Amino acid sequence: MKAGLGNLAVDGVDHLAAIIRNRLKRIQYRPELIPGFLAQTGLTLEPEPP
């Protein structure tokens, strides 16, 4: 998403907010992306053992 917004020309803050909401909504329906996002942070979906 960040790469797609880098060269984007918008008419104002409201237009930019609408584009960001739209792109986040598309990501919301692609759960296979979550492991890729987590891999970049070093976090996991598994809880640490006590």
Side-chain angles (χ1 to χ4, degrees):
M1 183 164 116
K2 190 167 63 170
L5 294 175
N7 293 323
L8 185 68
V10 295
D11 295 330
V13 175
D14 292 334
H15 186 220
L16 177 61
I19 291 170
I20 291 172
R21 272 193 303 275
N22 179 274
R23 294 192 183 174
L24 288 173
K25 186 63 109 174
R26 286 192 284 173
I27 291 171
Q28 179 182 0
Y29 293 107
R30 296 184 61 198
E32 71 274 6
L33 294 175
I34 293 173
F37 291 142
L38 288 176
Q40 295 294 318
T41 65
L43 299 173
T44 65
L45 290 174
E46 303 299 322
E48 288 188 22

Short mmCIF file of all heavy atoms in Angstrom, two decimals:
data_model
loop_
_atom_site.label_atom_id
_atom_site.label_comp_id
_atom_site.label_asym_id
_atom_site.label_seq_id
_atom_site.Cartn_x
_atom_site.Cartn_y
_atom_site.Cartn_z
N MET A 1 0.82 -1.18 0.00
CA MET A 1 0.00 0.00 0.00
C MET A 1 0.87 1.25 0.00
O MET A 1 0.58 2.20 -0.70
CB MET A 1 -0.92 0.00 1.22
CG MET A 1 -1.85 1.17 1.23
SD MET A 1 -3.19 0.95 2.35
CE MET A 1 -2.87 2.22 3.50
N LYS A 2 1.95 1.21 0.77
CA LYS A 2 2.81 2.38 0.88
C LYS A 2 3.41 2.76 -0.48
O LYS A 2 3.46 3.93 -0.83
CB LYS A 2 3.91 2.08 1.90
CG LYS A 2 4.72 3.29 2.27
CD LYS A 2 5.57 3.04 3.50
CE LYS A 2 6.59 1.98 3.30
NZ LYS A 2 7.57 1.90 4.37
N ALA A 3 3.82 1.76 -1.25
CA ALA A 3 4.42 2.04 -2.56
C ALA A 3 3.41 2.67 -3.50
O ALA A 3 3.75 3.53 -4.31
CB ALA A 3 4.98 0.76 -3.15
N GLY A 4 2.15 2.27 -3.41
CA GLY A 4 1.12 2.81 -4.28
C GLY A 4 0.73 4.22 -3.94
O GLY A 4 0.19 4.94 -4.78
N LEU A 5 0.97 4.66 -2.72
CA LEU A 5 0.59 6.01 -2.32
C LEU A 5 1.72 7.01 -2.53
O LEU A 5 1.48 8.22 -2.48
CB LEU A 5 0.18 6.02 -0.85
CG LEU A 5 -1.08 5.25 -0.50
CD1 LEU A 5 -1.29 5.26 1.02
CD2 LEU A 5 -2.28 5.82 -1.20
N GLY A 6 2.92 6.55 -2.78
CA GLY A 6 4.07 7.44 -2.89
C GLY A 6 3.96 8.47 -3.98
O GLY A 6 4.34 9.63 -3.80
N ASN A 7 3.45 8.09 -5.13
CA ASN A 7 3.38 9.01 -6.27
C ASN A 7 1.95 9.42 -6.60
O ASN A 7 1.65 9.82 -7.71
CB ASN A 7 4.01 8.36 -7.51
CG ASN A 7 5.50 8.19 -7.34
OD1 ASN A 7 6.16 9.04 -6.76
ND2 ASN A 7 6.03 7.09 -7.82
N LEU A 8 1.08 9.32 -5.63
CA LEU A 8 -0.33 9.62 -5.82
C LEU A 8 -0.58 11.12 -5.67
O LEU A 8 -0.13 11.75 -4.72
CB LEU A 8 -1.16 8.85 -4.79
CG LEU A 8 -2.66 8.95 -4.91
CD1 LEU A 8 -3.12 8.23 -6.18
CD2 LEU A 8 -3.30 8.31 -3.70
N ALA A 9 -1.29 11.69 -6.64
CA ALA A 9 -1.69 13.10 -6.54
C ALA A 9 -3.16 13.15 -6.17
O ALA A 9 -3.99 12.57 -6.86
CB ALA A 9 -1.45 13.81 -7.87
N VAL A 10 -3.49 13.82 -5.08
CA VAL A 10 -4.88 13.89 -4.62
C VAL A 10 -5.34 15.34 -4.58
O VAL A 10 -4.54 16.27 -4.58
CB VAL A 10 -5.05 13.24 -3.22
CG1 VAL A 10 -4.76 11.77 -3.29
CG2 VAL A 10 -4.19 13.92 -2.19
N ASP A 11 -6.66 15.50 -4.53
CA ASP A 11 -7.24 16.84 -4.51
C ASP A 11 -7.27 17.45 -3.12
O ASP A 11 -7.44 18.64 -2.96
CB ASP A 11 -8.66 16.79 -5.06
CG ASP A 11 -8.68 16.40 -6.53
OD1 ASP A 11 -7.71 16.70 -7.24
OD2 ASP A 11 -9.68 15.79 -6.95
N GLY A 12 -7.17 16.63 -2.09
CA GLY A 12 -7.22 17.13 -0.73
C GLY A 12 -7.13 15.99 0.26
O GLY A 12 -7.04 14.82 -0.11
N VAL A 13 -7.19 16.34 1.52
CA VAL A 13 -7.07 15.36 2.59
C VAL A 13 -8.24 14.37 2.56
O VAL A 13 -8.05 13.18 2.78
CB VAL A 13 -6.99 16.07 3.96
CG1 VAL A 13 -6.98 15.06 5.09
CG2 VAL A 13 -5.76 16.95 4.02
N ASP A 14 -9.43 14.85 2.26
CA ASP A 14 -10.59 13.96 2.21
C ASP A 14 -10.43 12.91 1.11
O ASP A 14 -10.78 11.75 1.30
CB ASP A 14 -11.87 14.76 2.00
CG ASP A 14 -12.23 15.62 3.20
OD1 ASP A 14 -11.82 15.26 4.33
OD2 ASP A 14 -12.92 16.63 3.01
N HIS A 15 -9.93 13.32 -0.03
CA HIS A 15 -9.70 12.39 -1.13
C HIS A 15 -8.65 11.36 -0.75
O HIS A 15 -8.81 10.16 -1.01
CB HIS A 15 -9.28 13.17 -2.38
CG HIS A 15 -9.16 12.32 -3.60
ND1 HIS A 15 -8.14 12.49 -4.50
CD2 HIS A 15 -9.90 11.29 -4.06
CE1 HIS A 15 -8.26 11.61 -5.47
NE2 HIS A 15 -9.33 10.87 -5.22
N LEU A 16 -7.58 11.80 -0.11
CA LEU A 16 -6.53 10.89 0.34
C LEU A 16 -7.08 9.89 1.35
O LEU A 16 -6.81 8.69 1.27
CB LEU A 16 -5.37 11.67 0.94
CG LEU A 16 -4.22 10.84 1.51
CD1 LEU A 16 -3.58 9.99 0.42
CD2 LEU A 16 -3.20 11.75 2.17
N ALA A 17 -7.88 10.36 2.30
CA ALA A 17 -8.47 9.49 3.32
C ALA A 17 -9.37 8.44 2.66
O ALA A 17 -9.37 7.27 3.06
CB ALA A 17 -9.25 10.31 4.33
N ALA A 18 -10.13 8.83 1.66
CA ALA A 18 -11.01 7.88 0.96
C ALA A 18 -10.21 6.81 0.24
O ALA A 18 -10.56 5.63 0.27
CB ALA A 18 -11.90 8.63 -0.02
N ILE A 19 -9.11 7.19 -0.38
CA ILE A 19 -8.26 6.23 -1.08
C ILE A 19 -7.64 5.25 -0.09
O ILE A 19 -7.62 4.04 -0.31
CB ILE A 19 -7.18 6.96 -1.90
CG1 ILE A 19 -7.83 7.68 -3.07
CG2 ILE A 19 -6.13 5.98 -2.39
CD1 ILE A 19 -6.91 8.62 -3.81
N ILE A 20 -7.16 5.77 1.03
CA ILE A 20 -6.55 4.90 2.04
C ILE A 20 -7.58 3.94 2.61
O ILE A 20 -7.30 2.75 2.77
CB ILE A 20 -5.88 5.75 3.15
CG1 ILE A 20 -4.67 6.47 2.58
CG2 ILE A 20 -5.51 4.89 4.34
CD1 ILE A 20 -4.05 7.48 3.50
N ARG A 21 -8.77 4.43 2.91
CA ARG A 21 -9.83 3.54 3.41
C ARG A 21 -10.14 2.43 2.41
O ARG A 21 -10.30 1.27 2.77
CB ARG A 21 -11.10 4.33 3.72
CG ARG A 21 -11.15 4.89 5.11
CD ARG A 21 -12.55 5.39 5.47
NE ARG A 21 -13.06 6.40 4.54
CZ ARG A 21 -12.81 7.69 4.62
NH1 ARG A 21 -12.04 8.16 5.58
NH2 ARG A 21 -13.32 8.53 3.74
N ASN A 22 -10.22 2.79 1.13
CA ASN A 22 -10.51 1.82 0.09
C ASN A 22 -9.42 0.74 0.02
O ASN A 22 -9.72 -0.45 -0.06
CB ASN A 22 -10.65 2.53 -1.26
CG ASN A 22 -10.92 1.58 -2.38
OD1 ASN A 22 -9.98 1.03 -2.96
ND2 ASN A 22 -12.18 1.38 -2.69
N ARG A 23 -8.18 1.16 0.07
CA ARG A 23 -7.07 0.18 -0.02
C ARG A 23 -6.97 -0.68 1.23
O ARG A 23 -6.67 -1.87 1.13
CB ARG A 23 -5.77 0.91 -0.30
CG ARG A 23 -5.84 1.54 -1.69
CD ARG A 23 -4.55 2.03 -2.18
NE ARG A 23 -4.75 2.68 -3.47
CZ ARG A 23 -3.81 3.30 -4.11
NH1 ARG A 23 -2.60 3.38 -3.61
NH2 ARG A 23 -4.05 3.86 -5.28
N LEU A 24 -7.24 -0.12 2.40
CA LEU A 24 -7.26 -0.93 3.62
C LEU A 24 -8.41 -1.93 3.59
O LEU A 24 -8.27 -3.05 4.07
CB LEU A 24 -7.35 -0.03 4.85
CG LEU A 24 -6.10 0.76 5.19
CD1 LEU A 24 -6.38 1.73 6.33
CD2 LEU A 24 -4.95 -0.17 5.55
N LYS A 25 -9.54 -1.54 3.03
CA LYS A 25 -10.68 -2.44 2.92
C LYS A 25 -10.33 -3.63 2.02
O LYS A 25 -10.69 -4.77 2.32
CB LYS A 25 -11.88 -1.68 2.36
CG LYS A 25 -13.15 -2.46 2.32
CD LYS A 25 -13.60 -2.83 3.70
CE LYS A 25 -14.81 -2.05 4.10
NZ LYS A 25 -15.35 -2.50 5.38
N ARG A 26 -9.59 -3.38 0.94
CA ARG A 26 -9.17 -4.48 0.06
C ARG A 26 -8.24 -5.43 0.79
O ARG A 26 -8.33 -6.64 0.63
CB ARG A 26 -8.49 -3.94 -1.19
CG ARG A 26 -9.48 -3.34 -2.17
CD ARG A 26 -8.85 -3.08 -3.50
NE ARG A 26 -8.01 -1.89 -3.43
CZ ARG A 26 -7.21 -1.48 -4.40
NH1 ARG A 26 -7.11 -2.16 -5.51
NH2 ARG A 26 -6.50 -0.39 -4.26
N ILE A 27 -7.34 -4.90 1.62
CA ILE A 27 -6.42 -5.75 2.39
C ILE A 27 -7.20 -6.57 3.41
O ILE A 27 -6.88 -7.73 3.67
CB ILE A 27 -5.35 -4.88 3.08
CG1 ILE A 27 -4.41 -4.29 2.04
CG2 ILE A 27 -4.57 -5.69 4.10
CD1 ILE A 27 -3.45 -3.26 2.60
N GLN A 28 -8.26 -6.00 3.98
CA GLN A 28 -9.06 -6.68 4.99
C GLN A 28 -9.60 -8.01 4.48
O GLN A 28 -9.72 -8.97 5.23
CB GLN A 28 -10.21 -5.77 5.41
CG GLN A 28 -11.14 -6.38 6.44
CD GLN A 28 -12.29 -5.44 6.78
OE1 GLN A 28 -12.39 -4.33 6.25
NE2 GLN A 28 -13.15 -5.87 7.66
N TYR A 29 -9.92 -8.08 3.21
CA TYR A 29 -10.50 -9.29 2.63
C TYR A 29 -9.44 -10.23 2.04
O TYR A 29 -9.78 -11.14 1.30
CB TYR A 29 -11.54 -8.92 1.58
CG TYR A 29 -12.73 -8.26 2.22
CD1 TYR A 29 -12.96 -6.90 2.08
CD2 TYR A 29 -13.61 -8.98 3.01
CE1 TYR A 29 -14.04 -6.29 2.69
CE2 TYR A 29 -14.69 -8.39 3.63
CZ TYR A 29 -14.90 -7.04 3.46
OH TYR A 29 -15.97 -6.45 4.08
N ARG A 30 -8.18 -10.02 2.39
CA ARG A 30 -7.10 -10.90 1.94
C ARG A 30 -6.30 -11.39 3.14
O ARG A 30 -5.18 -10.94 3.40
CB ARG A 30 -6.19 -10.15 0.96
CG ARG A 30 -6.94 -9.75 -0.31
CD ARG A 30 -6.06 -9.11 -1.32
NE ARG A 30 -5.01 -10.02 -1.73
CZ ARG A 30 -3.89 -9.64 -2.34
NH1 ARG A 30 -3.70 -8.37 -2.60
NH2 ARG A 30 -2.98 -10.51 -2.68
N PRO A 31 -6.87 -12.31 3.92
CA PRO A 31 -6.22 -12.76 5.15
C PRO A 31 -4.87 -13.45 4.91
O PRO A 31 -4.06 -13.52 5.83
CB PRO A 31 -7.23 -13.73 5.78
CG PRO A 31 -8.11 -14.15 4.66
CD PRO A 31 -8.14 -13.00 3.70
N GLU A 32 -4.61 -13.90 3.69
CA GLU A 32 -3.32 -14.53 3.42
C GLU A 32 -2.16 -13.54 3.50
O GLU A 32 -0.99 -13.94 3.57
CB GLU A 32 -3.33 -15.22 2.04
CG GLU A 32 -3.35 -14.28 0.85
CD GLU A 32 -4.73 -13.80 0.43
OE1 GLU A 32 -5.72 -14.08 1.11
OE2 GLU A 32 -4.79 -13.10 -0.60
N LEU A 33 -2.45 -12.25 3.54
CA LEU A 33 -1.40 -11.23 3.66
C LEU A 33 -0.87 -11.10 5.08
O LEU A 33 0.24 -10.62 5.29
CB LEU A 33 -1.92 -9.88 3.20
CG LEU A 33 -2.29 -9.73 1.73
CD1 LEU A 33 -2.89 -8.36 1.48
CD2 LEU A 33 -1.10 -9.97 0.85
N ILE A 34 -1.65 -11.51 6.06
CA ILE A 34 -1.28 -11.31 7.47
C ILE A 34 0.07 -11.94 7.82
O ILE A 34 0.90 -11.27 8.43
CB ILE A 34 -2.40 -11.79 8.40
CG1 ILE A 34 -3.62 -10.89 8.21
CG2 ILE A 34 -1.95 -11.78 9.86
CD1 ILE A 34 -4.85 -11.37 8.94
N PRO A 35 0.34 -13.20 7.44
CA PRO A 35 1.66 -13.76 7.78
C PRO A 35 2.82 -12.95 7.18
O PRO A 35 3.86 -12.81 7.81
CB PRO A 35 1.61 -15.17 7.19
CG PRO A 35 0.17 -15.52 7.16
CD PRO A 35 -0.53 -14.22 6.86
N GLY A 36 2.62 -12.41 5.99
CA GLY A 36 3.66 -11.59 5.38
C GLY A 36 3.92 -10.31 6.16
O GLY A 36 5.06 -9.89 6.34
N PHE A 37 2.84 -9.68 6.63
CA PHE A 37 3.00 -8.47 7.44
C PHE A 37 3.71 -8.78 8.75
O PHE A 37 4.59 -8.05 9.19
CB PHE A 37 1.65 -7.82 7.73
CG PHE A 37 0.97 -7.22 6.54
CD1 PHE A 37 -0.40 -7.31 6.40
CD2 PHE A 37 1.68 -6.56 5.56
CE1 PHE A 37 -1.04 -6.75 5.30
CE2 PHE A 37 1.06 -6.00 4.46
CZ PHE A 37 -0.31 -6.10 4.33
N LEU A 38 3.32 -9.89 9.38
CA LEU A 38 3.93 -10.27 10.65
C LEU A 38 5.39 -10.66 10.47
O LEU A 38 6.22 -10.40 11.35
CB LEU A 38 3.16 -11.41 11.29
CG LEU A 38 1.80 -11.03 11.88
CD1 LEU A 38 1.09 -12.26 12.40
CD2 LEU A 38 1.94 -10.01 12.96
N ALA A 39 5.73 -11.29 9.36
CA ALA A 39 7.12 -11.70 9.12
C ALA A 39 8.05 -10.48 9.13
O ALA A 39 9.19 -10.56 9.59
CB ALA A 39 7.23 -12.45 7.80
N GLN A 40 7.56 -9.36 8.63
CA GLN A 40 8.37 -8.15 8.59
C GLN A 40 8.61 -7.57 9.98
O GLN A 40 9.58 -6.85 10.19
CB GLN A 40 7.68 -7.09 7.71
CG GLN A 40 7.58 -7.49 6.26
CD GLN A 40 8.93 -7.60 5.60
OE1 GLN A 40 9.81 -6.76 5.82
NE2 GLN A 40 9.13 -8.63 4.82
N THR A 41 7.75 -7.88 10.95
CA THR A 41 7.89 -7.32 12.29
C THR A 41 8.65 -8.23 13.24
O THR A 41 9.10 -7.79 14.29
CB THR A 41 6.51 -7.05 12.92
OG1 THR A 41 5.85 -8.30 13.12
CG2 THR A 41 5.67 -6.15 12.07
N GLY A 42 8.73 -9.54 12.89
CA GLY A 42 9.35 -10.49 13.80
C GLY A 42 8.38 -11.06 14.81
O GLY A 42 8.74 -11.84 15.68
N LEU A 43 7.09 -10.67 14.72
CA LEU A 43 6.06 -11.17 15.64
C LEU A 43 5.47 -12.46 15.09
O LEU A 43 5.60 -12.77 13.91
CB LEU A 43 4.95 -10.13 15.79
CG LEU A 43 5.38 -8.78 16.35
CD1 LEU A 43 4.20 -7.80 16.28
CD2 LEU A 43 5.85 -8.93 17.78
N THR A 44 4.79 -13.23 15.94
CA THR A 44 4.12 -14.44 15.51
C THR A 44 2.68 -14.43 16.00
O THR A 44 2.31 -13.64 16.87
CB THR A 44 4.81 -15.71 16.08
OG1 THR A 44 4.67 -15.71 17.48
CG2 THR A 44 6.28 -15.75 15.71
N LEU A 45 1.88 -15.35 15.47
CA LEU A 45 0.50 -15.49 15.92
C LEU A 45 0.40 -16.42 17.13
O LEU A 45 -0.63 -16.49 17.77
CB LEU A 45 -0.37 -16.06 14.78
CG LEU A 45 -0.62 -15.11 13.62
CD1 LEU A 45 -1.36 -15.83 12.50
CD2 LEU A 45 -1.39 -13.90 14.07
N GLU A 46 1.48 -17.13 17.43
CA GLU A 46 1.49 -18.06 18.55
C GLU A 46 1.88 -17.33 19.84
O GLU A 46 2.85 -16.59 19.85
CB GLU A 46 2.49 -19.19 18.29
CG GLU A 46 2.23 -19.96 17.00
CD GLU A 46 0.87 -20.63 17.00
OE1 GLU A 46 0.45 -21.13 18.06
OE2 GLU A 46 0.22 -20.62 15.94
N PRO A 47 1.13 -17.57 20.93
CA PRO A 47 1.50 -16.92 22.20
C PRO A 47 2.76 -17.55 22.77
O PRO A 47 3.06 -18.73 22.51
CB PRO A 47 0.30 -17.19 23.10
CG PRO A 47 -0.36 -18.39 22.51
CD PRO A 47 -0.07 -18.36 21.02
N GLU A 48 3.52 -16.76 23.51
CA GLU A 48 4.72 -17.28 24.15
C GLU A 48 4.33 -18.22 25.31
O GLU A 48 3.38 -17.92 26.03
CB GLU A 48 5.57 -16.15 24.69
CG GLU A 48 6.25 -15.34 23.61
CD GLU A 48 7.23 -14.35 24.20
OE1 GLU A 48 7.69 -14.53 25.35
OE2 GLU A 48 7.54 -13.38 23.51
N PRO A 49 5.04 -19.32 25.48
CA PRO A 49 4.73 -20.20 26.61
C PRO A 49 5.06 -19.50 27.94
O PRO A 49 5.97 -18.67 28.00
CB PRO A 49 5.62 -21.40 26.39
CG PRO A 49 6.64 -20.99 25.40
CD PRO A 49 6.12 -19.81 24.66
N PRO A 50 4.32 -19.86 28.99
CA PRO A 50 4.54 -19.20 30.28
C PRO A 50 5.89 -19.53 30.90
O PRO A 50 6.60 -20.35 30.61
CB PRO A 50 3.43 -19.71 31.17
CG PRO A 50 2.68 -20.73 30.41
CD PRO A 50 3.23 -20.78 29.02
#
